[in-house]
Amino acid sequence: MRLIHTVAELRGALADARETAFVPTMGNLHSGHISLIDLARRHGHPIVSSIFVNPLQFGAGEDFNRYPRTLEADCAQLEAAGCDIVFAPDANEMYPELQTFSVQPPLANELCGAFRPGHFQGVATVVLKLFNMVQPRYAAFGKKDYQQLFILKGMVRQFNLPIIMLEGETGRAEDGLALSSRNGFLSETERAEAPRLYRLLREAAQRIETGNTRFTDIEQTAGDELNRNGWRVDYIAVRSQTTLLSPEPGEQDLVILAAAHLGRTRLIDNIECCPA
Ligand code: PAF
């Protein structure tokens, strides 16, 4: 496996590659990332993964500075998983100019975007740049970041990028907690509490699947339960899988998305469901 830090070297290494499969990350890898590498390996070759903690997608007061940088351990995991190239540029390589062009995606101010202004502009911008640097045929993203995946699929479609998007199911701990690099921030007590989020999403999905269409009540009940247990809820929202907007009456493919803070850690999760 090669560790590459510059775009020039990356371009050289991939000059003859036509079926590259790409897994972009911010590092601090867990088994959810490795399952994306496995997914990528089933489609293309070579496998390229990037590690870049993207300043553009963190707002003021967010966890950019404390986001774990664990390059050596990440490389060991990626090599064991069969990754061929790790691309780890520094901020100057990624953003060499003072003024940065940025992508303004639709839905960037909805859901997580309403609480993290500029976040999805930052994500879409860095992913577009990474796509241009790596020029992959396939790119793999996890469904835990549901809104991110939705926005990036829209970007690929609307900018006519010749990339096939691969979607990885959310990896979970045995107690249901979605795997996330941020789980490491949780104290022991918070870690024991954290699975409540997915438990409540499952209950909410079950209510919808057994015929309850009072989505506002369902969102409210789950939010109240989190608030009673010490969380600070950003949102719990029943949305259409197709538009990520509020569902039309009778719409079948729904997703419940949630974001809430436990102590200093913001957790997100989601569950897809179909009304009875
Ligand atoms: O999901 C992530 O880890 C990041 O948002 C991504 C896609 C690597 C862009 O920085």
Side-chain angles (χ1 to χ4, degrees), residues 46-91:
I47 306 301
V48 178
S49 184
S50 61
I51 296 179
F52 179 66
V53 185
N54 174 33
L56 224 58
Q57 69 188 75
F58 290 81
E62 290 191 347
D63 53 1
F64 175 71
N65 286 329
R66 69 176 181 136
Y67 202 89
R69 271 81 167 168
T70 52
L71 183 63
E72 217 175 295
D74 293 340
C75 285
Q77 285 193 67
L78 288 169
E79 182 154 32
C83 181
D84 299 294
I85 294 176
V86 177
F87 177 50
D90 67 14

Side-chain angles (χ1 to χ4, degrees), residues 151-200:
I151 285 175
L152 294 176
K153 284 195 294 188
M155 181 174 84
V156 164
R157 244 185 358 260
Q158 294 195 30
F159 285 154
N160 309 95
L161 304 179
I163 296 172
I164 296 168
M165 296 288 274
L166 307 174
E167 305 183 14
E169 292 302 325
T170 302
R172 296 190 180 276
E174 263 178 31
D175 57 12
L177 178 65
L179 299 180
S180 162
S181 301
R182 290 191 166 91
N183 292 352
F185 296 149
L186 298 168
S187 69
E188 213 174 304
T189 325
E190 289 163 353
R191 176 62 190 81
E193 169 61 22
R196 189 185 303 278
L197 182 61
Y198 186 55
R199 233 173 16 243
L200 289 172

